[in-house]
């Protein structure tokens, strides 16, 4: 039985072949009624796009990869949605990979090995070293996300990030402005990751500017940026003597903050009266937690847009392009965990 073609779908839907192609690629500027009619024909005929055929015609498959450490983390799940939406605007399809921070897997994806149909990859590296990335970055279109712990020219790849030092400084300064003087930090990880180092730097900078002395006892080491480690770290902090116990805590992720809030609830302490809580990530988890979390919000739409556009430009260019570092904006969203009271989410 012959394979179903774009022409077959076009004839069934009563549209042009170009319109069918636009719908299959999820390109914009197709009316909803036309899109539904084409998709109905696609379903009825059992049409399946052939990336290999497209690559033969254009030199590109139209497929890009997004590789993140953990899709169960709300930040990465939300970022993936933004990347998919931005790619659709450019007529690209996104294949999402979860690396679990495994250096070998990250390096495999960074070089396109095992993903021959991909035109390029957006990678949020966690385990792979800068030297390993530098050795392969020029072999395959690549855009990096997240903290940059190396010199600007060390790795030949575009990089999209937020200013983590400034973000942590903003959150901590907000706590200090409330008059809190025993401010703890949850997120100093045992791996000394770039994320942890940079957010600790911003935390300490804000303390210094507020005239608050940094107390290492208020920065317990953790293993992972997750709810459980936030819970355990906050339990340790609430067990400190009364004169040391924190009156505020800055968590290096929303998940850590959710765990910390649970520990405060268990200890019979109120938020923010006894302990004010702030974090970074700006996820829906922060918005819907009780109380709602004050959080630094990275502009995930801008991060996704910059990453996809950088990758698309590199894929489509016949000439080598200079590598760029792009810093997306962020802002502090103060909520109940520092402001108190009860705020209606959607007035």
């Amino acid at each position: 039985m012959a394979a179903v073609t774009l022409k077959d779908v076009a004839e069934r839907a009563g549209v042009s072949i170009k319109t069918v192609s636009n719908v299959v690629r999820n390109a914009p500027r197709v009316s909803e009624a036309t899109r539904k009619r084409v998709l109905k024909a696609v379903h009825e005929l059992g049409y399946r796009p052939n990336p290999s055929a497209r690559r033969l015609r254009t030199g590109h498959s139209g497929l890009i990869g997004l590789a993140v450490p953990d899709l169960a983390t709300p930040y990465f799940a939300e970022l993936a949605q933004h990347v998919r939406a931005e790619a659709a605007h450019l007529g690209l399809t996104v294949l999402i990979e979860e690396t679990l921070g495994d250096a070998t897997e990250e390096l495999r994806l960074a070089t396109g090995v095992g993903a021959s149909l991909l035109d390029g990859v957006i990678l949020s590296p966690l385990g792979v070293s800068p030297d390993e990335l530098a050795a392969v970055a020029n072999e395959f279109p690549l855009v990096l996300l997240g903290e940059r712990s190396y010199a600007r020219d060390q790795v030949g790849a575009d990089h999209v990030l937020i200013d983590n030092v400034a973000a942590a400084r903003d959150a901590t300064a907000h706590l200090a402005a409330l008059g809190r003087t025993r401010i703890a930090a949850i997120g100093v990880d045992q791996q000394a990751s770039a994320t942890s180092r940079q957010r600790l730097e911003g935390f300490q900078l804000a303390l210094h500017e507020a005239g608050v002395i940094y107390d290492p006892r208020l920065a317990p080491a953790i293993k992972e940026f997750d709810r459980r480690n936030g819970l355990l770290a906050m339990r340790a902090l609430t067990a400190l003597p009364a004169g040391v116990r924190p009156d505020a805590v800055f968590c290096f992720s929303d998940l850590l903050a959710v765990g910390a809030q649970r520990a405060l609830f268990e200890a019979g302490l109120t938020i923010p009266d006894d302990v004010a809580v702030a974090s970074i990530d700006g996820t829906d988890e922060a918005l819907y937690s009780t109380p709602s979390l004050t959080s630094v919000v990275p502009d995930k739409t801008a991060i996704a847009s910059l990453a996809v556009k950088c990758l698309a430009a590199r894929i489509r260019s016949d000439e080598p392009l200079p590598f760029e570092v792009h810093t997306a904006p962020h802002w502090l969203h103060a909520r109940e965990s520092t402001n108190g009271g009860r705020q209606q989410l959607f007035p």
Side-chain angles (χ1 to χ4, degrees), residues 1-5 8-14 20 24 34-48:
M1 182 177 178
V4 178
T5 66
D8 297 327
V9 177
E11 290 176 350
R12 173 68 68 93
V20 175
V24 169
T34 299
R35 188 180 300 277
K36 287 181 179 179
R37 191 161 73 251
V38 170
L39 291 176
K40 183 173 183 289
V42 166
H43 176 72
E44 291 173 348
L45 295 175
Y47 172 74
R48 295 291 181 271

Side-chain angles (χ1 to χ4, degrees), residues 266-277:
E266 291 176 350
L269 298 172
T270 60
I271 305 170
D273 295 341
D274 294 319
V275 182
V277 182

Side-chain angles (χ1 to χ4, degrees), residues 62-211:
L63 301 176
I64 62 172
L66 170 65
V68 297
D70 183 8
L71 283 169
T73 300
Y75 176 82
F76 289 119
E78 293 177 18
L79 182 62
Q81 291 179 328
H82 288 289
V83 168
R84 188 210 59 77
E86 181 61 34
H89 284 302
L90 298 181
L92 299 171
T93 299
V94 182
L95 300 180
I96 300 175
E97 294 273 0
E98 184 179 52
T99 66
L100 301 178
D102 180 77
T104 301
E105 181 68 4
E106 290 175 352
L107 195 62
R108 181 183 72 85
L109 291 166
T111 56
V113 174
S116 59
L117 289 178
L118 293 180
D119 291 332
V121 168
I122 299 170
L123 170 67
S124 179
L126 188 60
V128 67
S129 72
D131 288 340
E132 289 173 314
L133 281 175
V136 302
N138 288 319
E139 298 178 7
F140 188 62
L142 177 68
V143 174
L144 302 177
L145 299 178
E147 290 67 40
R148 187 167 59 91
S149 57
Y150 51 83
R152 183 184 183 93
D153 297 327
Q154 183 179 351
V155 177
D158 296 312
H159 205 131
V160 181
L161 43 72
I162 67 164
D163 187 336
N164 265 282
V165 174
R169 179 184 181 185
D170 291 346
T172 309
H174 173 68
L175 294 171
L178 298 174
R180 310 300 170 116
T181 57
R182 300 188 305 278
I183 305 175
I186 295 179
V188 180
D189 65 30
Q190 297 172 350
Q191 297 79 26
S193 66
T195 301
S196 180
R197 294 197 310 272
Q198 292 173 15
R199 293 182 182 180
L200 179 61
E201 180 183 346
F203 171 76
Q204 293 174 320
L205 180 60
L207 291 185
H208 176 75
E209 292 171 343

Side-chain angles (χ1 to χ4, degrees), residues 73-76 78 254-255 280-288 293 295-298 300 335:
T73 300
Y75 176 82
F76 289 119
E78 293 177 18
D254 287 350
L255 289 185
I280 290 184
D281 277 346
T283 62
D284 281 350
E285 183 123 4
L287 181 63
Y288 286 97
L293 264 170
S295 184
V296 173
V297 184
K300 291 184 278 291
R335 300 191 179 103

